[in-house]
Amino acid sequence: MLIINESRELNSFLSLFELTGLKVAFVPTMGALHQGHIALIRKANQSGGLVVCSIFINPTQFNKTEDFEKYPVQAESDIDLLKANGCDVVFLPKKEEIYPNGTDYDLPFDPGYLDDIMEGKFRPGHFKGVAQVVYRLLELVQPHELVMGEKDFQQVAVIRKMIADMELGVELVTCRTVREKDGLAMSSRNLLLKADYREKATVIYQSMVECRENLKSMKASQAKKMAIEKIESAGLKPEYFELVDPFTLLSISDEQTKGPVQACVAAWAGNVRLIDNMPVRH
Ligand code: PAF
């Protein structure tokens, strides 16, 4: 596995690789890798070409400095894990490589209403930061495929919109959320959970499973209310629990009794903010 720090070096390697005529599949990450990321690497490997993974903790997508500062870093074990799981190139850029002209947002892309709902509402500026870094990484890696996890459901929707609006011509491939045995979605932030909250955090998954059952006989607003109460009674602080159309991400009304529904949730487990989602009606 090649470890590359500079975009110039990445560019010269990719120009050589291009001669093979094979595809490049790209997995952007912020490190602190877990089995969820490994599933993305495996998916990327299915393209049969080169698998490039980036590790870059992007400062522009954190709306709170302390969140950026406490983001887990474990570069060495990340590299070992990537090496053992079929990654060909790991790109570890410095901030100057990604933002040579500073971090001001200058992309001709607007996430639109996706910036005002759920994650967008509670993390102002987050999606513009994600769009900014993913755009820049795509510019550097020029992949055929971009592989992302469905755990960040709204992030995938924003990037899908960016690819369409800016006609980026890269194929977006998504991967199902990987869960711990008790249902907790794998996330780098789980490393920050204190033992008691790690145990309690499983209620997020349970609330969605229960909601899936409740939706069979209840109005959406009632099922949502019960899910919020369940999360609260376990000692977590829900920020939102929304039942949305999986394509538009707009909330469904009580009158919409047919069609697919995705539950999307964000909750605080102590001082750690967790998000998750799941289809609750097909
Ligand atoms: O999902 C993430 O880890 C990040 O938002 C991403 C896509 C790597 C951009 O920094």
Side-chain angles (χ1 to χ4, degrees):
M1 185 175 76
L2 282 176
I3 301 175
I4 296 182
N5 297 102
E6 285 176 18
S7 44
R8 220 182 28 193
E9 201 188 332
L10 180 70
N11 190 44
S12 70
F13 173 75
L14 290 172
S15 329
L16 284 180
F17 182 80
E18 207 181 343
L19 303 173
T20 66
L22 292 170
K23 280 189 175 178
V24 176
F26 173 51
V27 182
T29 81
M30 297 205 298
L33 304 180
H34 49 69
Q35 288 306 312
H37 294 110
I38 297 310
L40 302 181
I41 298 288
R42 293 214 181 97
K43 190 78 157 190
N45 253 307
Q46 287 172 10
S47 77
L50 188 79
V51 176
V52 180
C53 173
S54 64
I55 300 180
F56 176 66
I57 306 184
N58 173 35
T60 70
Q61 70 188 77
F62 290 85
N63 47 328
K64 289 193 180 124
T65 325
E66 82 227 45
D67 191 21
F68 172 61
E69 281 164 359
K70 76 179 183 197
Y71 202 83
V73 180
Q74 45 180 50
E76 272 177 35
S77 60
D78 284 350
I79 289 173
D80 291 345
L81 203 59
L82 289 173
K83 215 183 265 179
N85 284 281
C87 177
D88 300 306
V89 177
V90 57
F91 180 45
L92 296 162
K94 291 224 167 63
K95 190 174 159 194
E96 299 69 45
E97 294 279 337
I98 298 294
Y99 298 119
N101 305 316
T103 54
D104 287 352
Y105 189 81
D106 58 1
L107 266 193
F109 167 69
D110 183 354
Y113 72 88
L114 291 173
D115 226 0
D116 304 326
I117 58 173
M118 300 194 288
E119 287 303 285
K121 186 167 156 193
F122 288 95
R123 302 187 68 190
H126 169 65
F127 286 128
K128 281 197 168 159
V130 171
Q132 187 182 22
V133 75
V134 172
Y135 177 82
R136 176 67 178 140
L137 288 165
L138 289 176
E139 190 173 57
L140 294 171
V141 180
Q142 301 275 324
H144 300 86
E145 278 180 17
L146 170 65
V147 187
M148 300 185 89
E150 286 171 10
K151 153 110 187 339
D152 293 298
F153 201 72
Q154 194 171 354
Q155 167 169 282
V156 169
V158 169
I159 297 302
R160 182 168 288 125
K161 179 169 166 30
M162 178 175 80
I163 291 171
D165 290 5
M166 296 182 73
E167 299 178 15
L168 298 182
V170 60
E171 187 188 344
L172 181 59
V173 176
T174 63
C175 242
R176 298 285 293 270
T177 301
V178 180
R179 298 183 179 281
E180 302 286 356
K181 277 203 185 74
D182 65 1
L184 180 68
M186 291 206 182
S187 163
S188 307
R189 289 173 198 271
N190 294 352
L191 292 170
L192 303 172
L193 287 171
K194 302 225 169 67
D196 53 338
Y197 277 113
R198 166 62 193 85
E199 225 169 90
K200 290 175 186 169
T202 182
V203 73
I204 295 176
Y205 172 71
Q206 288 160 1
S207 72
M208 293 189 293
V209 171
E210 195 176 286
C211 181
R212 189 171 62 196
E213 276 315 296
N214 287 343
L215 258 194
K216 291 178 186 161
S217 58
M218 274 176 209
K219 286 186 171 164
S221 56
Q222 180 66 16
K224 172 175 154 173
K225 188 166 167 268
M226 287 184 67
I228 290 174
E229 283 168 7
K230 188 176 175 79
I231 296 171
E232 278 170 348
S233 65
L236 268 66
K237 288 204 179 76
E239 220 166 47
Y240 63 79
F241 185 105
E242 294 294 344
L243 294 173
V244 303
D245 176 303
F247 304 107
T248 64
L249 268 60
L250 294 173
S251 290
I252 61 152
S253 68
D254 284 348
E255 285 67 46
Q256 285 168 273
T257 52
K258 287 202 172 67
V261 179
Q262 196 83 10
C264 294
V265 48
W268 287 91
N271 61 356
V272 183
R273 187 175 184 277
L274 300 173
I275 61 169
D276 202 350
N277 70 88
M278 176 193 279
V280 287
R281 193 168 74 199
H282 289 281

